[in-house]
Amino acid sequence: MARPHIAARFEDSVRRRIESRLRRQGWHERVAGYTGYATLDRARVFARVTLSRTEPEERRTALTHAHDSLLDIAQRGWRVFLTAPAGQVPVTVRMGEAVVHGSSDRGGYVDLDVPGHGLGPGWQEATIGLDNGDSVTLSVLVVDPEVEVGLVSDIDDTIMVTHLPRILIAGWNTFVRSEIVREKVPGMGSLYRALVAEEPRMPVFYLSTGAWNTAPALTRFLRRHDYPLGPMLLTDWGPTNTGWFRSGQQHKESELRRLAEEFPQIRWILVGDDGQHDPVIYGEFTRDHPQAVSAICIRELTPAEQLLSSGLPVATDELLGKRTDAPMLKAPNGYGLHQLLVAARPPSVEADGIPEERDGQEPRSA
């Protein structure tokens, strides 16, 4: 096995010293849960183990699917990053008929497969517990095997204005501003609600390069602005065993491939923005898995947003000079994307077999 990157070794050394000192001061291991997802055969649950002054307790409930007791909390973003991860801590996951044992990784994160849970489609629950008695109950979406369409959405600058990857502005929005003043992208919530209204069993995944630390704040944002709730597929910022920083693009690519493998019957509506690499990522995924994509919707940033995001008033995918064969519907907000999605659908067939006439509007493609 290759030796971990120097950045990871340095980070681990600092964490071990902090963890040792906090444990001597009486801090305890605590587990936080995030929304999971599942097929009928296997579930995937997410959690994180950290050190806390608070005593361990049983039967806490994570702020995930149906729990809004923390909805009105507003705090500065930097607070969620002041955590002390506890690595290599044994955990036990119980879901339905399944019991699975595992441990947290070097950053305290838990990402476990739970086979044989025996639960039916819809929102279910799983419990993650520690040896010290601390436990948390989280929501898990068991996707109906008969569902044929799903939604995968980016977060930053797609449903929430963050001005990524402009580091100073994104940092100000993420670390300094109160979460309650975060700005939503017009019409995106309406678009998602309309799609879910057409197919109530549709799974909605929020795929982002954001850190897991922000998951509770993002959950409150989704609830505050009435977005359909669903599992988040986030990542861990910072050094890895192979480099100084994690690759956000690689994270999105690998999660999309996994969704295609776990739900081969689903055709996905992929939603992102043109301020980063979403058009390229979605286009390449479509070429590799053409049967898995129903539509690609790209929210166009305004010239001012593009300037703040990339430094030039031009879309990132155009700067890269990459074109794909995948059709991409583009509009500046969710209202425009909804109209394009409706227009892009094949005409319905009436009883006499004659296609129903439409207004002739054609979707714009990249």
Side-chain angles (χ1 to χ4, degrees), residues 159-209:
I159 66 173
M160 176 195 294
V161 178
T162 53
H163 300 302
L164 286 179
R166 204 65 172 177
I167 188 65
L168 293 179
I169 298 175
W172 176 268
N173 289 334
T174 300
F175 295 106
V176 179
R177 300 185 71 192
S178 171
E179 65 178 69
I180 205 168
V181 300
R182 299 301 295 272
E183 181 182 353
K184 66 178 181 179
V185 174
M188 299 304 290
S190 298
L191 167 62
Y192 294 4
R193 289 192 297 273
L195 293 174
V196 173
E198 294 178 6
E199 174 48 82
R201 300 172 300 173
M202 172 189 291
V204 180
F205 288 83
Y206 295 93
L207 173 58
S208 172
T209 58

Side-chain angles (χ1 to χ4, degrees), residues 86-98:
Q88 307 306 314
V89 175
V91 300
T92 301
V93 179
R94 291 179 170 84
M95 180 176 173
E97 301 173 357

Side-chain angles (χ1 to χ4, degrees), residues 33-38 43-46 60-68 95 119 122-128 136-142 219 223 229-232:
Y34 310 116
T35 305
Y37 69 90
R44 186 182 181 190
V45 297
F46 306 99
R60 287 181 292 112
T61 301
L63 178 64
T64 55
H65 164 54
H67 314 290
D68 58 1
M95 180 176 173
L119 299 176
W123 285 102
Q124 305 290 354
E125 291 186 340
T127 300
I128 300 182
V136 64
T137 299
L138 54 86
S139 297
V140 179
L141 176 62
V142 182
T219 301
R223 294 188 63 86
L229 295 183
M232 293 183 189

